[in-house]
């Protein structure tokens, strides 16, 4: 039997090095799905419970491997379901290819069932490249261009395949005639390095600074050694955008930790007091957490020139790979002999860890969520991968989890979408089955799609070389971050009908699926529960009952935020008294960490 277009799609993707495709079948994409049963390409089809999970997994695959993630869905509703996860990839600049089905060509334009203008639908999320195949001769160059553009531009691309085209005979080599293309496979991108004159200009700015701050993001994940060496030369402190949390170890005494709403007091002080800012591979968006305009001279390094100079008015903008550019810059940097700035940073960081410990050990009803993350840090397995969801859990992850060298971590950064932690964890485990993986999620995210993702875990885990996968659920029966945003940003009390969540036994559900389930409702049981879960012989759900009234305080509370907070409590927030008590404890520990228990 001659190969069909569906067969050729898989063969061509395999030649590009694709090892797995995340997706869900449907009649609009059956010509490709059927090829998995006929072809021996070595590509694994990972069946998900919902197409959104497939796109999240493709994004996470790209984050944890550096390769193009591929997801697949049927026409109409299946394709639409992909969008949230694809926007996650687009906003975090990850290379992902979406392959979607479409109705037969003869039906298009006829208001047919499930007929959606998919090229228009995907034009924003896949604006770098979205095309529909109308003949078999197109398919080769569509795949080649989609893969190459996704890699080169770190972007989402999309190919639309009408149902009938998938079943036509494949054309592996288009005829050599006018109007045809003959594309090839392969991508070799040498790390970009700016010209020496530009490096010298950057060095002049950095050498002149007396109080240098560094901000590193996801673009610095492969530049750990270079970032550390530059910080040592300049006597700088290092703050981290959330997607760059794994770029440098949290154990270094001059690493101030996260920046922004989920950030730390040392990071806030670093930006408020510096006279020079070096940004490396970061698109951190919140200008109010960066130095005041005119306060600091700036140098920025980014592989994408479009991201330069849009967060802070930089004096020198360098286009290049972070690691290669820093290596080229280092010979021009002068070691600063005056270390008072660095010593001050290290004192602030040491004090901050005492603050966090004191806050984590405060009593709560029944469990302080900060303690759950504090107890995890010393138990993190070597070279583990940590994924986190959006919500209050991202605050505790950003501040309390101390990542070490060799660990990986990520979450939905630019989109900040709920429901990403579990599909991220599954993709991480498939890409690195020998590593332990820990997913951190709130109960809102679990009820949104995490419960469904656990079904996939139950289906796959027996094939993993290492069964260590732990899913932490902060079980507080509240859309917690939304509640706090309502209070602090709007000055309104929590709305029970909107933010209260129904009870659900996540541990029992895990047991029903054949996984391990542990429910924890006492503070002294947290540490032992982590040890049991991390050493279990199967994936484990850790269902921890936490107090929703412990506030995820920002590093700096503005007068406006304080007024809104007070207004929300005056208007009759049902938890006002408990919130005031918890806030008072957090405030006290910030002032007197050494006196806390």
């Amino acid at each position: 039997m001659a190969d069909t277009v569906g067969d050729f799609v898989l063969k061509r993707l395999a030649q590009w090095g694709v090892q797995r495709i995340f997706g869900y079948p449907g009649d609009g994409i059956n010509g490709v799905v059927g090829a998995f049963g006929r072809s021996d390409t070595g590509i694994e089809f990972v069946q998900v419970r919902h197409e959104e999970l497939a796109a999240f997994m493709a994004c996470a695959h790209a984050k944890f491997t550096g390769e193009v993630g591929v997801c697949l869905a049927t026409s109409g509703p299946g394709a639409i379901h992909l969008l949230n996860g694809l926007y996650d990839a687009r906003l975090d600049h990850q290379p992902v290819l979406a392959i979607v089905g479409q109705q037969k060509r003869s039906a298009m334009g006829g208001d047919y069932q499930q007929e959606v203008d998919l090229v228009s639908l995907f034009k924003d999320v896949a604006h770098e490249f979205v095309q529909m195949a109308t003949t078999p001769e197109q398919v080769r160059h569509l795949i080649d261009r989609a893969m190459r553009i996704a890699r080169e531009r770190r972007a989402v691309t999309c190919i639309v395949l009408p149902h009938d085209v998938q079943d036509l005979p494949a054309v592996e080599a288009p005829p050599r005639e006018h109007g045809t293309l003959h594309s090839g496979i392969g991508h070799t991108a040498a790390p970009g390095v700016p010209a020496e004159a530009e490096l010298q200009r950057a060095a002049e700015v950095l050498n002149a600074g007396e109080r240098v701050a560094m901000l590193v993001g996801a673009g610095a994940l492969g530049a750990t050694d270079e970032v550390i060496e530059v910080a040592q030369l300049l006597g700088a402190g290092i703050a981290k955008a959330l997607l760059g949390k794994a770029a440098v170890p949290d154990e270094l005494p001059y690493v101030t930790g996260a920046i922004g709403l989920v950030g730390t007091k040392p990071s806030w002080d670093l930006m408020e007091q510096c006279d020079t800012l070096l940004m490396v591979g970061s698109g951190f968006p919140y200008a109010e957490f960066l130095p005041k305009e005119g306060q600091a001279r700036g140098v920025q390094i980014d592989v994408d020139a479009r991201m330069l100079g849009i967060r802070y008015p930089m004096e020198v903008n360098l286009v290049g790979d972070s690691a290669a550019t820093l290596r080229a810059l280092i010979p021009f940097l002068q070691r600063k002999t005056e270390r008072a700035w660095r010593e001050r940073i290290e004192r602030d960081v040491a004090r901050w860890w005492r603050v966090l410990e004191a806050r984590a050990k405060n009593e709560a009803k029944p469990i302080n969520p900060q303690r759950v993350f504090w107890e995890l840090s010393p138990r993190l397995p070597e070279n583990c991968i940590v994924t986190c969801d959006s919500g209050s859990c991202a605050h505790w992850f950003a501040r309390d989890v101390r990542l070490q060298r060799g660990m990986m971590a990520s979450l939905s950064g630019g989109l900040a979408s709920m429901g990403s932690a579990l599909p991220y964890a599954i993709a991480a485990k498939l890409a690195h089955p020998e590593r332990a993986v820990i997913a951190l999620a709130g109960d809102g995210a679990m009820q949104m799609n995490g419960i469904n993702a656990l079904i996939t875990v139950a289906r796959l885990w027996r094939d993993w070389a290492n069964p260590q996968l732990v899913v932490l659920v902060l079980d507080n029966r509240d859309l917690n971050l939304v509640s706090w945003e309502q209070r602090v940003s709007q000055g309104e009390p929590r709305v029970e009908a909107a933010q209260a969540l129904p009870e659900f036994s996540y541990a029992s559900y895990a047991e029903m699926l054949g996984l391990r389930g542990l429910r924890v409702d006492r503070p002294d049981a947290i540490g032992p529960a982590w040890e049991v879960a991390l050493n279990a012989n199967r994936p484990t759900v850790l269902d921890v009952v936490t107090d929703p009234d412990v506030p995820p305080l920002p590093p700096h509370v503005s007068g406006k935020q304080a007024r809104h907070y007070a207004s929300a409590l005056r208007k009759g927030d049902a938890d006002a008294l408990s919130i005031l008590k918890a806030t008072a404890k957090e405030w006290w520990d910030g002032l007197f960490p050494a006196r806390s228990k």
Side-chain angles (χ1 to χ4, degrees), residues 239-302:
K240 301 190 286 188
L242 198 47
L243 287 173
K245 183 170 174 63
V248 286
D250 287 302
E251 301 295 330
L252 295 176
Y254 49 88
V255 171
T256 62
I259 190 173
L261 292 168
V262 302
T264 71
K265 181 68 163 54
S267 290
W268 170 268
D269 292 339
L270 183 74
M271 295 297 157
E272 283 289 293
Q273 298 161 12
C274 70
D275 65 9
T276 308
L277 173 63
L278 172 59
M279 284 181 64
V280 182
S282 174
F284 175 74
Y286 302 124
E288 69 270 27
F289 292 95
L290 297 177
K292 297 179 181 67
E293 187 169 346
Q295 168 193 321
R297 303 177 73 184
V299 174
Q300 185 177 358
I301 299 169
D302 204 289

Coordinates of all heavy atoms in Angstrom, one line a residue, residues 239-302:
A239 N 18.6 38.8 41.0 CA 17.2 38.6 41.2 C 16.7 37.7 40.0 O 17.4 37.7 38.9 CB 16.4 39.9 41.2
K240 N 15.6 37.0 40.2 CA 15.2 36.0 39.2 C 13.7 36.3 38.8 O 12.9 36.3 39.7 CB 15.4 34.6 39.6 CG 16.8 34.3 40.0 CD 17.1 32.8 40.2 CE 16.5 32.3 41.6 NZ 16.9 30.9 41.9
A241 N 13.5 36.4 37.5 CA 12.1 36.4 37.0 C 11.7 34.9 37.2 O 12.5 34.0 37.3 CB 12.0 36.8 35.6
L242 N 10.4 34.7 37.4 CA 9.9 33.4 37.8 C 10.3 32.3 36.8 O 10.6 31.2 37.2 CB 8.3 33.5 38.0 CG 7.7 32.3 38.8 CD1 8.4 32.1 40.1 CD2 6.2 32.7 39.1
L243 N 10.2 32.6 35.5 CA 10.6 31.5 34.6 C 12.1 31.2 34.6 O 12.6 30.3 34.1 CB 10.2 31.9 33.1 CG 8.7 31.9 32.8 CD1 8.4 32.4 31.5 CD2 8.2 30.4 32.9
G244 N 12.9 32.1 35.2 CA 14.3 31.9 35.4 C 14.7 31.4 36.8 O 15.9 31.4 37.1
K245 N 13.8 30.9 37.5 CA 14.1 30.4 38.9 C 15.2 29.4 38.9 O 16.0 29.4 39.9 CB 12.8 29.9 39.6 CG 13.0 29.5 41.0 CD 11.7 29.2 41.7 CE 11.9 28.7 43.1 NZ 12.6 29.6 44.0
A246 N 15.3 28.5 37.9 CA 16.3 27.5 37.9 C 17.6 27.9 37.3 O 18.5 27.1 37.2 CB 15.8 26.2 37.2
A247 N 17.7 29.2 36.9 CA 18.9 29.7 36.2 C 20.1 29.7 37.1 O 21.2 29.4 36.7 CB 18.7 31.1 35.6
V248 N 19.9 30.0 38.4 CA 21.0 30.0 39.4 C 20.5 29.4 40.7 O 19.3 29.6 41.0 CB 21.6 31.4 39.6 CG1 22.5 31.9 38.4 CG2 20.5 32.4 39.9
P249 N 21.3 28.7 41.4 CA 20.8 28.0 42.6 C 20.4 29.1 43.7 O 21.0 30.1 43.8 CB 22.1 27.2 43.1 CG 22.9 27.1 41.9 CD 22.7 28.3 41.1
D250 N 19.4 28.7 44.4 CA 18.9 29.6 45.5 C 19.8 29.6 46.7 O 19.7 30.5 47.5 CB 17.5 29.2 45.9 CG 16.4 29.6 44.9 OD1 16.3 30.8 44.6 OD2 15.7 28.7 44.4
E251 N 20.7 28.7 46.7 CA 21.6 28.6 47.9 C 22.7 29.6 47.8 O 23.4 29.9 48.8 CB 22.3 27.2 47.9 CG 21.3 26.0 48.0 CD 20.5 26.0 49.3 OE1 21.1 26.5 50.3 OE2 19.4 25.6 49.3
L252 N 23.0 30.3 46.7 CA 24.0 31.3 46.6 C 23.6 32.5 47.5 O 22.5 33.0 47.4 CB 24.2 31.7 45.2 CG 24.8 30.6 44.2 CD1 24.9 31.1 42.8 CD2 26.2 30.1 44.7
P253 N 24.5 33.0 48.3 CA 24.2 34.0 49.3 C 23.8 35.3 48.7 O 23.2 36.2 49.4 CB 25.4 34.1 50.2 CG 26.5 33.6 49.3 CD 25.9 32.6 48.4
Y254 N 24.1 35.6 47.4 CA 23.8 36.9 46.8 C 22.7 36.7 45.8 O 22.4 37.7 45.0 CB 25.1 37.4 46.1 CG 25.8 36.4 45.2 CD1 25.4 36.2 43.9 CD2 26.8 35.6 45.7 CE1 26.0 35.3 43.1 CE2 27.5 34.7 44.9 CZ 27.1 34.5 43.6 OH 27.7 33.6 42.8
V255 N 22.0 35.6 45.8 CA 20.8 35.4 45.0 C 19.6 35.9 45.8 O 19.2 35.3 46.8 CB 20.6 34.0 44.5 CG1 19.3 33.7 43.8 CG2 21.7 33.6 43.5
T256 N 19.0 37.0 45.4 CA 17.9 37.5 46.1 C 16.5 36.9 45.9 O 15.6 37.2 46.6 CB 17.7 39.0 45.8 OG1 17.4 39.2 44.4 CG2 19.0 39.8 46.2
G257 N 16.5 36.0 44.9 CA 15.2 35.2 44.7 C 14.3 35.9 43.7 O 14.7 36.7 42.8
A258 N 13.0 35.6 43.8 CA 12.1 36.1 42.8 C 11.8 37.6 42.9 O 12.1 38.2 43.9 CB 10.7 35.3 43.0
I259 N 11.3 38.1 41.8 CA 11.0 39.5 41.7 C 9.6 39.7 41.3 O 9.0 38.8 40.7 CB 12.0 40.2 40.6 CG1 11.8 41.8 40.7 CG2 11.7 39.7 39.2 CD1 12.8 42.5 39.9
G260 N 9.0 40.8 41.7 CA 7.6 41.1 41.3 C 6.6 40.8 42.4 O 7.0 40.8 43.6
L261 N 5.4 40.6 42.0 CA 4.3 40.4 43.0 C 4.6 39.1 43.8 O 4.2 39.1 45.0 CB 3.0 40.3 42.3 CG 2.4 41.6 41.6 CD1 1.3 41.3 40.7 CD2 2.1 42.6 42.7
V262 N 5.2 38.2 43.2 CA 5.6 36.9 43.9 C 7.0 37.0 44.5 O 7.5 36.0 45.0 CB 5.5 35.7 43.0 CG1 4.1 35.6 42.5 CG2 6.5 35.7 41.9
G263 N 7.6 38.2 44.5 CA 9.0 38.3 44.8 C 9.3 38.5 46.2 O 8.5 38.4 47.1
T264 N 10.6 38.8 46.5 CA 11.1 38.9 47.8 C 11.5 40.3 48.2 O 11.7 41.1 47.3 CB 12.4 38.0 48.0 OG1 13.5 38.6 47.2 CG2 12.2 36.6 47.5
K265 N 11.6 40.6 49.5 CA 12.1 41.9 49.9 C 13.5 42.2 49.5 O 13.7 43.3 49.0 CB 12.0 42.0 51.4 CG 12.4 43.3 52.1 CD 11.4 44.4 51.7 CE 11.5 45.6 52.6 NZ 12.9 46.2 52.7
P266 N 14.4 41.3 49.5 CA 15.8 41.6 49.0 C 15.8 41.9 47.5 O 16.6 42.8 47.1 CB 16.6 40.3 49.3 CG 15.9 39.7 50.4 CD 14.4 40.0 50.2
S267 N 14.9 41.3 46.7 CA 14.9 41.7 45.3 C 14.3 43.1 45.1 O 14.8 43.8 44.3 CB 14.0 40.6 44.5 OG 14.7 39.4 44.4
W268 N 13.3 43.4 45.9 CA 12.7 44.8 45.9 C 13.8 45.8 46.2 O 14.0 46.8 45.5 CB 11.5 44.9 46.8 CG 11.1 46.3 47.0 CD1 11.4 47.1 48.0 CD2 10.1 47.0 46.2 NE1 10.8 48.3 47.9 CE2 10.0 48.3 46.8 CE3 9.4 46.6 45.1 CZ2 9.1 49.2 46.2 CZ3 8.5 47.6 44.5 CH2 8.4 48.9 45.1
D269 N 14.5 45.5 47.3 CA 15.6 46.5 47.7 C 16.7 46.5 46.7 O 17.3 47.6 46.5 CB 16.1 46.0 49.1 CG 15.1 46.2 50.2 OD1 14.2 47.0 50.1 OD2 15.3 45.5 51.3
L270 N 17.0 45.4 46.1 CA 18.1 45.4 45.1 C 17.8 46.4 43.9 O 18.6 47.1 43.5 CB 18.2 44.0 44.5 CG 19.3 43.7 43.5 CD1 20.7 43.7 44.2 CD2 19.1 42.4 42.8
M271 N 16.5 46.3 43.5 CA 16.1 47.2 42.4 C 16.0 48.6 42.8 O 16.2 49.6 42.0 CB 14.8 46.6 41.7 CG 15.0 45.3 41.1 SD 16.2 45.4 39.7 CE 16.7 43.6 39.6
E272 N 15.5 48.8 44.0 CA 15.3 50.2 44.5 C 16.7 50.9 44.7 O 16.7 52.2 44.7 CB 14.6 50.2 45.8 CG 13.1 49.9 45.7 CD 12.3 51.1 45.1 OE1 12.3 52.1 45.8 OE2 11.8 50.9 43.9
Q273 N 17.7 50.2 45.0 CA 19.0 50.8 45.4 C 20.1 50.7 44.4 O 21.2 51.3 44.6 CB 19.4 50.2 46.8 CG 18.4 50.5 47.9 CD 18.5 49.5 49.1 OE1 19.5 48.8 49.2 NE2 17.6 49.5 50.0
C274 N 19.9 50.0 43.4 CA 21.0 49.8 42.4 C 21.3 51.0 41.6 O 20.4 51.9 41.4 CB 20.8 48.6 41.5 SG 19.4 48.8 40.3
D275 N 22.5 51.1 41.1 CA 22.7 52.2 40.1 C 23.0 51.7 38.7 O 23.2 52.5 37.8 CB 23.9 53.1 40.6 CG 25.3 52.4 40.6 OD1 25.3 51.2 40.2 OD2 26.2 53.0 41.2
T276 N 23.0 50.4 38.6 CA 23.3 49.7 37.3 C 22.5 48.4 37.2 O 22.5 47.7 38.2 CB 24.8 49.4 37.1 OG1 25.6 50.6 37.3 CG2 25.1 48.9 35.7
L277 N 21.8 48.2 36.1 CA 21.0 47.0 35.9 C 21.4 46.2 34.7 O 21.5 46.8 33.6 CB 19.5 47.4 35.7 CG 18.5 46.3 35.4 CD1 18.5 45.2 36.5 CD2 17.1 46.8 35.1
L278 N 21.7 44.9 34.9 CA 22.0 44.0 33.8 C 20.9 43.0 33.7 O 20.8 42.1 34.6 CB 23.4 43.3 34.0 CG 23.8 42.2 33.1 CD1 23.8 42.7 31.6 CD2 25.1 41.6 33.5
M279 N 20.2 43.0 32.6 CA 19.1 42.0 32.4 C 19.6 41.0 31.4 O 20.1 41.3 30.3 CB 17.8 42.7 31.9 CG 17.0 43.5 32.9 SD 15.5 44.2 32.2 CE 14.6 42.8 31.7
V280 N 19.4 39.7 31.8 CA 19.9 38.6 30.9 C 18.7 37.7 30.6 O 18.2 37.0 31.6 CB 21.0 37.9 31.6 CG1 21.6 36.8 30.7 CG2 22.2 38.8 32.0
G281 N 18.3 37.6 29.4 CA 17.3 36.7 29.0 C 16.0 36.8 29.7 O 15.4 35.7 30.0
S282 N 15.5 38.0 30.0 CA 14.3 38.1 30.7 C 13.4 39.2 30.1 O 13.8 40.2 29.6 CB 14.6 38.6 32.2 OG 13.4 38.9 32.8
G283 N 12.1 38.8 30.0 CA 11.1 39.7 29.5 C 10.1 40.1 30.7 O 9.0 40.4 30.4
F284 N 10.7 40.1 31.9 CA 9.8 40.4 33.1 C 9.0 41.7 32.8 O 9.6 42.7 32.5 CB 10.8 40.6 34.3 CG 10.1 41.0 35.6 CD1 9.3 40.2 36.3 CD2 10.2 42.4 36.0 CE1 8.6 40.6 37.4 CE2 9.6 42.8 37.1 CZ 8.8 41.9 37.8
P285 N 7.7 41.6 33.0 CA 6.9 42.7 32.5 C 6.6 43.9 33.4 O 6.1 44.9 33.0 CB 5.6 42.0 32.1 CG 5.5 40.9 33.1 CD 6.9 40.5 33.4
Y286 N 6.8 43.7 34.7 CA 6.2 44.7 35.7 C 7.2 45.8 35.9 O 8.1 45.7 36.8 CB 5.8 44.0 37.0 CG 4.7 43.0 36.8 CD1 4.9 41.6 37.2 CD2 3.6 43.2 36.1 CE1 4.0 40.7 37.0 CE2 2.6 42.3 35.9 CZ 2.8 41.0 36.4 OH 1.9 40.0 36.2
A287 N 7.1 47.0 35.3 CA 8.1 48.0 35.4 C 8.2 48.6 36.8 O 9.2 49.1 37.2 CB 7.7 49.1 34.4
E288 N 7.1 48.5 37.6 CA 7.1 49.1 38.9 C 8.1 48.4 39.9 O 8.4 48.9 40.9 CB 5.7 49.1 39.5 CG 5.1 47.8 39.9 CD 4.3 47.1 38.8 OE1 4.6 47.4 37.6 OE2 3.4 46.4 39.1
F289 N 8.5 47.2 39.5 CA 9.5 46.4 40.3 C 10.9 46.6 39.8 O 11.8 46.0 40.4 CB 9.1 44.9 40.4 CG 7.8 44.7 41.1 CD1 6.6 44.6 40.5 CD2 7.9 44.6 42.5 CE1 5.4 44.4 41.2 CE2 6.7 44.4 43.2 CZ 5.5 44.3 42.6
L290 N 11.1 47.3 38.7 CA 12.4 47.6 38.2 C 12.9 49.0 38.7 O 12.1 49.7 39.3 CB 12.4 47.6 36.7 CG 12.1 46.3 36.0 CD1 12.0 46.4 34.5 CD2 13.1 45.2 36.4
P291 N 14.1 49.4 38.6 CA 14.6 50.7 39.0 C 13.7 51.8 38.4 O 13.2 51.7 37.3 CB 16.0 50.8 38.6 CG 16.5 49.4 38.4 CD 15.3 48.6 38.0
K292 N 13.6 52.9 39.2 CA 12.9 54.1 38.6 C 13.7 54.6 37.4 O 14.9 54.5 37.3 CB 12.8 55.2 39.7 CG 12.0 54.8 40.9 CD 12.0 55.9 41.9 CE 11.2 55.6 43.1 NZ 11.9 54.5 43.9
E293 N 13.0 55.0 36.4 CA 13.6 55.5 35.2 C 14.6 56.6 35.5 O 14.2 57.6 36.2 CB 12.6 56.0 34.2 CG 13.1 56.3 32.8 CD 12.1 56.6 31.8 OE1 10.9 56.2 32.0 OE2 12.4 57.1 30.7
G294 N 15.8 56.5 35.0 CA 16.8 57.5 35.3 C 17.7 57.1 36.5 O 18.8 57.7 36.7
Q295 N 17.2 56.2 37.3 CA 18.0 55.8 38.5 C 19.2 55.0 38.2 O 20.3 55.2 38.8 CB 17.1 55.0 39.5 CG 17.8 54.3 40.6 CD 17.0 53.2 41.3 OE1 15.8 53.4 41.5 NE2 17.5 52.1 41.7
A296 N 19.1 54.1 37.2 CA 20.2 53.2 36.9 C 20.5 53.2 35.4 O 19.6 53.4 34.6 CB 19.8 51.8 37.3
R297 N 21.8 53.0 35.1 CA 22.2 52.7 33.8 C 21.9 51.3 33.5 O 22.0 50.4 34.4 CB 23.7 53.0 33.6 CG 24.1 54.4 34.0 CD 25.6 54.6 33.8 NE 26.0 54.7 32.4 CZ 27.3 54.7 32.1 NH1 28.3 54.7 33.0 NH2 27.6 54.8 30.8
G298 N 21.6 50.9 32.2 CA 21.2 49.6 31.9 C 21.8 48.9 30.7 O 22.2 49.6 29.7
V299 N 22.0 47.6 30.9 CA 22.5 46.7 29.8 C 21.6 45.6 29.7 O 21.2 45.0 30.8 CB 24.0 46.3 30.1 CG1 24.4 45.3 29.0 CG2 24.9 47.4 30.1
Q300 N 21.1 45.2 28.5 CA 20.2 44.1 28.4 C 20.8 43.1 27.3 O 21.3 43.5 26.3 CB 18.8 44.5 28.0 CG 17.8 43.3 27.9 CD 16.4 43.8 27.6 OE1 16.1 45.0 27.5 NE2 15.5 42.9 27.5
I301 N 20.7 41.8 27.6 CA 21.0 40.8 26.7 C 19.8 39.9 26.4 O 19.1 39.4 27.3 CB 22.1 39.9 27.2 CG1 23.4 40.7 27.6 CG2 22.5 38.7 26.3 CD1 24.4 39.9 28.4
D302 N 19.5 39.7 25.1 CA 18.4 38.9 24.7 C 18.6 38.3 23.3 O 19.2 39.1 22.4 CB 17.0 39.6 24.8 CG 15.9 38.7 24.9 OD1 15.5 37.9 24.0 OD2 15.3 38.6 26.0

